Amino acid sequence: MPEYRRVLLDGAAVQAVRDGEELVAGDGRRVKAEEAHHLPPVVPTKVIAVHLNHRSRVEEFQVSLAPAPTYFHKPTSALNAHRGAVVRPEGCKWLNYEGEVAIVIGGTCRNVSPDEAGEYIAGYTVANDYGLHDFRDTDAGSMLRVKGADTLCPLGPGLVTDWDFRGKYLRTYVNGRVVQDGSTDEMEWDMHYLVADIARTITLHPGDVLLSGTPAGSRPVRPGDVVEVEVEGLGRLSNHIVAGPTPIRTDVGAQPTESEEVLSTALGGDWEYRGIRPPRRG
């Protein structure tokens, strides 16, 4: 399966094709993949993510799945790349990983059926849909600041074409330990359905990204942790967590909180918030 990566070569962004352990630019220049400065593999006009899609995540939260998918938006300023630093702002504690498959649009797409949607997909890449749950009590459920902070949308390492999404494993590792272990087969709505659903009312342009949901096991990470997401056939996306250089300003806006909703979501189930059993504190 062809794999395309965007990297910096001599200070310029170029697309390169993976050839074994090397990346080959269009002009023939080569660089070792392990030594390359990676960029996000695509340049989207928008990044749209589905809330709940993996059945293991639904079971973990002890909720009922909605009759149709619901979505949120991550600004393109949140984009990050393979081996990039993910920033946990000073004063925040609840930064969670979420390993996912990212759908990349290849052609302008509007009002298509699920059967037609595959024709508009350029390929797929690995994503980590980080969430800063300290801000979960604000923005009226849009999750703009939970999901939209700078660096919280790593994609990569590359864009893989001709990849069949069916029956593929998805695993997330923190410091080498498996913390999420799921499969694309546990998705309630597959990749083609998600594209067709969004494209009913929103035009999707080449390069646009749809994040397809995460399995159970999302938990907080801290500065110094190395988080990797591996998807069968797509590769392994690696990022490290760093502390933000400056604190969240306190003279404007909503502040980070540690409510029951924040804790229960960050720790893996809003059953705590709903009082099914006492909340855990550690």
Side-chain angles (χ1 to χ4, degrees), residues 188-272:
E188 183 68 20
W189 300 288
D190 70 18
M191 313 299 184
H192 295 172
Y193 185 100
L194 297 176
V195 170
D197 187 19
I198 287 294
R200 290 184 303 156
T201 57
I202 298 172
T203 299
L204 297 172
H205 296 286
D208 284 351
V209 170
L210 275 66
L211 304 183
S212 60
T214 196
S218 169
R219 295 294 186 274
V221 286
R222 62 186 65 186
D225 287 340
V226 175
V227 185
E228 298 171 292
V229 182
E230 182 180 38
V231 178
E232 183 179 356
L234 295 183
R236 192 162 175 146
L237 170 68
S238 180
N239 299 96
H240 56 285
I241 311 301
V242 300
T246 57
I248 298 290
R249 293 189 67 97
T250 59
D251 56 346
V252 291
Q255 297 301 305
T257 59
E258 202 170 49
S259 68
E260 289 301 320
E261 184 170 5
V262 168
L263 290 171
S264 62
T265 304
L267 296 174
D270 69 356
W271 44 264
E272 295 172 326

Side-chain angles (χ1 to χ4, degrees), residues 3 5 17-24 30-33:
E3 179 182 345
R5 301 193 185 187
V17 179
R18 184 176 178 183
D19 180 17
E21 300 303 313
E22 292 187 318
L23 305 177
V24 185
R30 289 177 173 265
V31 61
K32 291 183 179 179

Side-chain angles (χ1 to χ4, degrees), residues 32 43 58 62 103 114 123 126 156 206 272 276:
K32 291 183 179 179
V43 183
V58 174
Q62 298 186 22
I103 307 162
V126 186
E272 295 172 326
I276 294 176

Side-chain angles (χ1 to χ4, degrees), residues 58-200:
V58 174
E59 292 166 3
E60 178 182 42
F61 274 67
Q62 298 186 22
V63 295
S64 297
L65 198 63
T70 60
Y71 304 89
F72 59 92
H73 173 252
K74 289 177 84 84
T76 57
S77 53
L79 286 171
N80 201 342
H82 178 51
R83 294 204 290 267
V86 173
V87 177
R88 190 185 78 175
E90 185 178 333
C92 295
K93 294 172 56 178
W94 306 107
L95 174 66
N96 280 46
Y97 55 79
E98 292 186 11
E100 308 200 9
V101 175
I103 307 162
V104 178
I105 299 300
T108 302
C109 180
R110 179 72 161 83
N111 194 30
V112 300
S113 71
D115 288 340
E116 298 167 326
E119 301 172 16
Y120 296 88
I121 295 174
Y124 301 85
T125 189
V126 186
N128 199 330
D129 177 21
Y130 283 93
L132 192 63
H133 292 294
D134 305 71
F135 285 99
R136 198 164 186 89
D137 289 328
T138 190
D139 293 328
S142 76
M143 298 205 297
L144 178 63
R145 278 172 280 195
V146 172
K147 296 288 190 169
D150 293 354
T151 76
L152 297 195
C153 189
L155 302 175
L159 171 67
V160 178
T161 59
D162 299 325
W163 181 74
D164 185 347
F165 60 78
R166 299 166 184 86
K168 300 300 192 295
Y169 69 75
L170 185 163
R171 296 186 184 119
T172 303
Y173 305 79
V174 175
N175 303 325
R177 180 174 64 90
V178 176
V179 291
Q180 288 185 295
D181 193 352
S183 165
T184 55
D185 282 350
E186 67 169 275
M187 293 180 177
E188 183 68 20
W189 300 288
D190 70 18
M191 313 299 184
H192 295 172
Y193 185 100
L194 297 176
V195 170
D197 187 19
I198 287 294
R200 290 184 303 156

